[in-house]
Amino acid sequence: MANFALLILLLLIIAIPHSLSAPPAPAFPSSFSAQITITSNLLPADIVYPPRVKIVRLLYSLELQKAKIVIEKGHDEGKMYVRDYGGEMDYELSAGSCRRAFLGEEMTPPTLPLSVHLGDAQISEGGTMTNYEHFVRSTVYSNIHIYSDPGNGHPRRLVVEDIDDDGVTEVSMTYDIDSLQELTGSEDWTIGEGHTEGIEGSCERFVGGFPYMHLFHYYLRF
């Protein structure tokens, strides 16, 4: 009996430091900039159309109630969207033209799902392997793998793994976040040179609004 109690005590002593050193849960900062690469893994690597890869530059601020997206590669390449939730304006800029639409919904913060920590994992970055924390959320039809910074919990990668009726898994989407930085206050939120904002501005009115952007599965969407 004494030996059993001693064993329990030793296990508790071992568990305490482990719990204190648990990594932070994956989470976005409230305001940040980033480059996001979205890969449709089910498409062949050499396909021309539809594009397999999409790269966007993002400015995101809950405090300012704004998001700015520049599409650098892939579908809608060259377009820019500025979503001003506080001003209820949505702008689309492409090849010198500008359209504006009413934006009547609230800006919702990106909320990553509760998930199980699987340990650390490595991601190749420019030929160097970097350690990240690996979390997974599993449902009947998919596994959502999230890789995050072990220091601050900022997300680095999300992988969607589909599960068919026979239990066979297949990766369908990958979202990679590079150069994630919290905003400094000096960012450019303008809608582009030669255009003015607002109802009286230079952008053509467009009825119907513009499509949602899903930049980290549906956890980062606007």
Side-chain angles (χ1 to χ4, degrees):
M1 189 68 178
N3 290 337
F4 179 75
L6 180 61
L7 177 61
I8 295 297
L9 179 60
L10 288 174
L11 290 174
L12 288 173
I13 292 173
I14 294 172
I16 289 173
H18 176 75
S19 63
L20 293 176
S21 62
F28 284 97
S30 60
S31 297
F32 64 94
S33 64
Q35 175 182 288
I36 303 177
T37 301
I38 304 167
T39 304
S40 299
N41 297 97
L42 298 181
L43 294 175
D46 58 351
I47 195 171
V48 177
Y49 188 87
R52 185 174 187 264
V53 175
K54 186 172 191 172
I55 300 176
V56 304
R57 287 278 179 183
L58 170 67
L59 289 177
Y60 179 93
S61 176
L62 271 178
E63 287 82 0
L64 297 177
Q65 291 287 287
K66 288 184 178 182
K68 183 176 184 178
I69 306 103
V70 179
I71 302 173
E72 297 186 335
K73 180 178 180 180
H75 182 63
D76 285 338
E77 181 175 333
K79 285 188 176 182
M80 179 171 74
Y81 293 90
V82 179
R83 305 212 152 137
D84 182 358
Y85 290 84
E88 298 185 331
M89 287 288 176
D90 196 359
Y91 300 93
E92 178 195 68
L93 295 99
S94 175
S97 67
C98 178
R99 299 191 296 175
R100 63 173 173 83
F102 173 70
L103 185 61
E105 62 189 62
E106 294 183 358
M107 187 178 193
T108 56
T111 303
L112 296 175
L114 293 174
S115 50
V116 176
H117 181 224
L118 296 184
D120 59 359
Q122 292 189 322
I123 295 177
S124 177
E125 298 177 330
T128 302
M129 302 304 292
T130 305
N131 287 325
Y132 289 94
E133 300 298 338
H134 181 194
F135 295 80
V136 66
R137 176 179 175 84
S138 297
T139 67
V140 175
Y141 298 110
S142 68
N143 295 316
I144 305 297
H145 298 269
I146 298 175
Y147 302 84
S148 60
D149 187 290
N152 54 29
H154 291 173
R156 170 62 176 83
R157 172 177 289 175
L158 184 148
V159 176
V160 181
E161 188 178 49
D162 295 336
I163 306 173
D164 68 15
D165 292 338
D166 296 321
V168 177
T169 62
E170 185 175 27
V171 174
S172 59
M173 298 292 296
T174 301
Y175 302 81
D176 280 301
I177 296 182
D178 295 298
S179 307
L180 191 153
Q181 297 179 342
E182 297 192 44
L183 299 187
T184 63
S186 61
E187 292 75 23
D188 178 13
W189 290 97
T190 60
I191 62 172
E193 186 176 351
H195 298 290
T196 54
E197 303 177 23
I199 296 176
E200 303 299 328
S202 61
C203 298
E204 176 188 359
R205 183 189 178 201
F206 177 73
V207 178
F210 305 115
Y212 280 114
M213 296 285 172
H214 291 77
L215 303 184
F216 207 63
H217 201 26
Y218 52 77
Y219 305 115
L220 178 60
R221 184 195 78 164
F222 33 74

